[in-house]
Amino acid sequence: MATSKDKESYSLLSSYIGLHRDKYGASPVINKYKEKWAMQSLIDDFGVEEVESSLSYYFKLPKENHPLSWFFNNFATIHIARLNAEKDAKIRAAARQKTYELRAEYLNGLS
């Protein structure tokens, strides 16, 4: 009987297959039974949400063919890069908002 960890692993592997199919138009050939163990290890260490977010981020990177083994072997780097990109996006959004407010204040003062 499949445990919840097995279901989570298979779900993330299905997400990988879907992302690969969307990007390249073909499903990758993977051994789900073998790869579920690596996915379970990532889930145990980082949690399902973090792995899923990093998997989506992985397909935004300029990597050729996006192999699953490369994702597993370089997960920590991908994860840190995703967190830094999210942090940078928040900082830039705050800076844009501050610039908008300063510009509006300046233009209102001129009228």
Side-chain angles (χ1 to χ4, degrees):
M1 179 172 229
T3 65
S4 65
K5 283 187 178 184
D6 289 343
K7 290 177 183 178
E8 291 170 344
S9 297
Y10 285 130
S11 173
L12 288 171
L13 289 171
S14 294
S15 294
Y16 169 80
I17 291 170
L19 289 165
H20 193 280
R21 187 182 316 116
D22 291 346
K23 186 158 183 94
Y24 297 107
S27 296
V29 178
I30 62 171
N31 181 344
K32 285 186 178 180
Y33 181 77
K34 176 186 159 212
E35 302 299 350
K36 84 171 183 178
W37 300 108
M39 194 63 79
Q40 279 184 4
S41 178
L42 290 179
I43 291 170
D44 290 343
D45 292 343
F46 295 96
V48 176
E49 295 81 19
E50 294 294 320
V51 175
E52 189 168 20
S53 297
S54 294
L55 185 60
S56 297
Y57 180 76
Y58 175 51
F59 277 90
K60 294 175 185 173
L61 298 176
K63 180 77 179 145
E64 187 174 325
N65 201 26
H66 292 86
L68 187 57
S69 60
W70 197 89
F71 175 74
F72 289 145
N73 292 333
N74 296 286
F75 181 81
T77 305
I78 295 167
H79 181 68
I80 291 169
R82 179 185 63 84
L83 294 176
N84 288 339
E86 289 173 355
K87 182 179 174 183
D88 184 57
K90 287 179 185 175
I91 291 170
R92 288 174 184 263
R96 280 192 302 272
Q97 180 63 31
K98 183 69 174 170
T99 301
Y100 174 78
E101 292 169 0
L102 289 172
R103 184 175 181 273
E105 181 181 320
Y106 175 75
L107 292 176
N108 286 339
L110 290 179
S111 22

